[in-house]
mmCIF file with all atom_site columns, all heavy atoms in Angstrom:
data_model
loop_
_atom_site.group_PDB
_atom_site.id
_atom_site.type_symbol
_atom_site.label_atom_id
_atom_site.label_alt_id
_atom_site.label_comp_id
_atom_site.label_asym_id
_atom_site.label_entity_id
_atom_site.label_seq_id
_atom_site.pdbx_PDB_ins_code
_atom_site.Cartn_x
_atom_site.Cartn_y
_atom_site.Cartn_z
_atom_site.occupancy
_atom_site.B_iso_or_equiv
_atom_site.pdbx_formal_charge
_atom_site.auth_seq_id
_atom_site.auth_comp_id
_atom_site.auth_asym_id
_atom_site.auth_atom_id
_atom_site.pdbx_PDB_model_num
ATOM 1  N N   . ASP A 1 45 ? 58.758 57.752 196.189 1.00 97.00 ? 83 ASP A N   1
ATOM 2  C CA  . ASP A 1 45 ? 58.055 57.054 197.263 1.00 97.00 ? 83 ASP A CA  1
ATOM 3  C C   . ASP A 1 45 ? 56.691 56.589 196.759 1.00 97.00 ? 83 ASP A C   1
ATOM 4  O O   . ASP A 1 45 ? 56.329 56.820 195.601 1.00 97.00 ? 83 ASP A O   1
ATOM 5  C CB  . ASP A 1 45 ? 57.918 57.954 198.494 1.00 97.00 ? 83 ASP A CB  1
ATOM 6  C CG  . ASP A 1 45 ? 57.329 59.319 198.163 1.00 97.00 ? 83 ASP A CG  1
ATOM 7  O OD1 . ASP A 1 45 ? 56.281 59.351 197.487 1.00 97.00 ? 83 ASP A OD1 1
ATOM 8  O OD2 . ASP A 1 45 ? 57.925 60.349 198.555 1.00 97.00 ? 83 ASP A OD2 1
ATOM 9  N N   . ALA A 1 46 ? 55.934 55.954 197.654 1.00 98.00 ? 84 ALA A N   1
ATOM 10 C CA  . ALA A 1 46 ? 54.659 55.363 197.250 1.00 98.00 ? 84 ALA A CA  1
ATOM 11 C C   . ALA A 1 46 ? 53.619 56.395 196.832 1.00 98.00 ? 84 ALA A C   1
ATOM 12 O O   . ALA A 1 46 ? 52.613 56.041 196.217 1.00 98.00 ? 84 ALA A O   1
ATOM 13 C CB  . ALA A 1 46 ? 54.107 54.504 198.388 1.00 98.00 ? 84 ALA A CB  1
ATOM 14 N N   . GLY A 1 47 ? 53.840 57.671 197.120 1.00 97.00 ? 85 GLY A N   1
ATOM 15 C CA  . GLY A 1 47 ? 52.920 58.709 196.679 1.00 97.00 ? 85 GLY A CA  1
ATOM 16 C C   . GLY A 1 47 ? 52.781 58.786 195.171 1.00 97.00 ? 85 GLY A C   1
ATOM 17 O O   . GLY A 1 47 ? 51.806 59.341 194.655 1.00 97.00 ? 85 GLY A O   1
ATOM 18 N N   . THR A 1 48 ? 53.720 58.205 194.437 1.00 98.00 ? 86 THR A N   1
ATOM 19 C CA  . THR A 1 48 ? 53.648 58.207 192.971 1.00 98.00 ? 86 THR A CA  1
ATOM 20 C C   . THR A 1 48 ? 52.462 57.393 192.459 1.00 98.00 ? 86 THR A C   1
ATOM 21 O O   . THR A 1 48 ? 52.067 57.532 191.306 1.00 98.00 ? 86 THR A O   1
ATOM 22 C CB  . THR A 1 48 ? 54.970 57.691 192.365 1.00 98.00 ? 86 THR A CB  1
ATOM 23 O OG1 . THR A 1 48 ? 55.003 57.980 190.968 1.00 98.00 ? 86 THR A OG1 1
ATOM 24 C CG2 . THR A 1 48 ? 55.118 56.186 192.569 1.00 98.00 ? 86 THR A CG2 1
ATOM 25 N N   . VAL A 1 49 ? 51.885 56.531 193.302 1.00 97.00 ? 87 VAL A N   1
ATOM 26 C CA  . VAL A 1 49 ? 50.652 55.828 192.930 1.00 97.00 ? 87 VAL A CA  1
ATOM 27 C C   . VAL A 1 49 ? 49.624 56.822 192.422 1.00 97.00 ? 87 VAL A C   1
ATOM 28 O O   . VAL A 1 49 ? 48.927 56.573 191.442 1.00 97.00 ? 87 VAL A O   1
ATOM 29 C CB  . VAL A 1 49 ? 50.090 55.049 194.146 1.00 97.00 ? 87 VAL A CB  1
ATOM 30 C CG1 . VAL A 1 49 ? 48.685 54.526 193.844 1.00 97.00 ? 87 VAL A CG1 1
ATOM 31 C CG2 . VAL A 1 49 ? 51.004 53.901 194.523 1.00 97.00 ? 87 VAL A CG2 1
ATOM 32 N N   . PHE A 1 50 ? 49.556 57.958 193.087 1.00 95.00 ? 88 PHE A N   1
ATOM 33 C CA  . PHE A 1 50 ? 48.565 58.967 192.730 1.00 95.00 ? 88 PHE A CA  1
ATOM 34 C C   . PHE A 1 50 ? 49.112 60.016 191.774 1.00 95.00 ? 88 PHE A C   1
ATOM 35 O O   . PHE A 1 50 ? 48.438 60.406 190.822 1.00 95.00 ? 88 PHE A O   1
ATOM 36 C CB  . PHE A 1 50 ? 48.047 59.650 194.001 1.00 95.00 ? 88 PHE A CB  1
ATOM 37 C CG  . PHE A 1 50 ? 46.916 60.586 193.754 1.00 95.00 ? 88 PHE A CG  1
ATOM 38 C CD1 . PHE A 1 50 ? 45.628 60.112 193.611 1.00 95.00 ? 88 PHE A CD1 1
ATOM 39 C CD2 . PHE A 1 50 ? 47.147 61.941 193.628 1.00 95.00 ? 88 PHE A CD2 1
ATOM 40 C CE1 . PHE A 1 50 ? 44.582 60.970 193.347 1.00 95.00 ? 88 PHE A CE1 1
ATOM 41 C CE2 . PHE A 1 50 ? 46.107 62.816 193.369 1.00 95.00 ? 88 PHE A CE2 1
ATOM 42 C CZ  . PHE A 1 50 ? 44.820 62.327 193.229 1.00 95.00 ? 88 PHE A CZ  1
ATOM 43 N N   . SER A 1 51 ? 50.347 60.498 191.997 1.00 97.00 ? 89 SER A N   1
ATOM 44 C CA  . SER A 1 51 ? 50.875 61.605 191.198 1.00 97.00 ? 89 SER A CA  1
ATOM 45 C C   . SER A 1 51 ? 51.318 61.176 189.807 1.00 97.00 ? 89 SER A C   1
ATOM 46 O O   . SER A 1 51 ? 51.299 61.983 188.879 1.00 97.00 ? 89 SER A O   1
ATOM 47 C CB  . SER A 1 51 ? 52.033 62.285 191.932 1.00 97.00 ? 89 SER A CB  1
ATOM 48 O OG  . SER A 1 51 ? 53.084 61.372 192.172 1.00 97.00 ? 89 SER A OG  1
ATOM 49 N N   . ASN A 1 52 ? 51.742 59.927 189.626 1.00 98.00 ? 90 ASN A N   1
ATOM 50 C CA  . ASN A 1 52 ? 52.045 59.351 188.320 1.00 98.00 ? 90 ASN A CA  1
ATOM 51 C C   . ASN A 1 52 ? 52.217 57.847 188.491 1.00 98.00 ? 90 ASN A C   1
ATOM 52 O O   . ASN A 1 52 ? 53.270 57.387 188.940 1.00 98.00 ? 90 ASN A O   1
ATOM 53 C CB  . ASN A 1 52 ? 53.304 59.953 187.710 1.00 98.00 ? 90 ASN A CB  1
ATOM 54 C CG  . ASN A 1 52 ? 53.586 59.409 186.310 1.00 98.00 ? 90 ASN A CG  1
ATOM 55 O OD1 . ASN A 1 52 ? 52.911 58.507 185.819 1.00 98.00 ? 90 ASN A OD1 1
ATOM 56 N ND2 . ASN A 1 52 ? 54.593 59.951 185.647 1.00 98.00 ? 90 ASN A ND2 1
ATOM 57 N N   . PRO A 1 53 ? 51.202 57.061 188.143 1.00 98.00 ? 91 PRO A N   1
ATOM 58 C CA  . PRO A 1 53 ? 51.291 55.602 188.350 1.00 98.00 ? 91 PRO A CA  1
ATOM 59 C C   . PRO A 1 53 ? 52.505 54.965 187.692 1.00 98.00 ? 91 PRO A C   1
ATOM 60 O O   . PRO A 1 53 ? 53.038 53.976 188.201 1.00 98.00 ? 91 PRO A O   1
ATOM 61 C CB  . PRO A 1 53 ? 49.984 55.092 187.721 1.00 98.00 ? 91 PRO A CB  1
ATOM 62 C CG  . PRO A 1 53 ? 49.045 56.242 187.780 1.00 98.00 ? 91 PRO A CG  1
ATOM 63 C CD  . PRO A 1 53 ? 49.896 57.467 187.608 1.00 98.00 ? 91 PRO A CD  1
ATOM 64 N N   . ALA A 1 54 ? 52.982 55.514 186.570 1.00 98.00 ? 92 ALA A N   1
ATOM 65 C CA  . ALA A 1 54 ? 54.139 54.941 185.885 1.00 98.00 ? 92 ALA A CA  1
ATOM 66 C C   . ALA A 1 54 ? 55.385 54.986 186.751 1.00 98.00 ? 92 ALA A C   1
ATOM 67 O O   . ALA A 1 54 ? 56.297 54.165 186.603 1.00 98.00 ? 92 ALA A O   1
ATOM 68 C CB  . ALA A 1 54 ? 54.389 55.677 184.567 1.00 98.00 ? 92 ALA A CB  1
ATOM 69 N N   . GLY A 1 55 ? 55.448 55.951 187.684 1.00 98.00 ? 93 GLY A N   1
ATOM 70 C CA  . GLY A 1 55 ? 56.620 56.083 188.552 1.00 98.00 ? 93 GLY A CA  1
ATOM 71 C C   . GLY A 1 55 ? 56.819 54.931 189.503 1.00 98.00 ? 93 GLY A C   1
ATOM 72 O O   . GLY A 1 55 ? 57.895 54.791 190.102 1.00 98.00 ? 93 GLY A O   1
ATOM 73 N N   . MET A 1 56 ? 55.820 54.066 189.669 1.00 98.00 ? 94 MET A N   1
ATOM 74 C CA  . MET A 1 56 ? 55.964 52.919 190.581 1.00 98.00 ? 94 MET A CA  1
ATOM 75 C C   . MET A 1 56 ? 57.081 51.978 190.141 1.00 98.00 ? 94 MET A C   1
ATOM 76 O O   . MET A 1 56 ? 57.646 51.259 190.971 1.00 98.00 ? 94 MET A O   1
ATOM 77 C CB  . MET A 1 56 ? 54.646 52.152 190.676 1.00 98.00 ? 94 MET A CB  1
ATOM 78 C CG  . MET A 1 56 ? 53.512 52.924 191.318 1.00 98.00 ? 94 MET A CG  1
ATOM 79 S SD  . MET A 1 56 ? 52.086 51.867 191.733 1.00 98.00 ? 94 MET A SD  1
ATOM 80 C CE  . MET A 1 56 ? 51.685 51.162 190.135 1.00 98.00 ? 94 MET A CE  1
#
Side-chain angles (χ1 to χ4, degrees):
D83 51 50
T86 193
V87 170
F88 187 81
S89 60
N90 183 354
M94 294 192 303

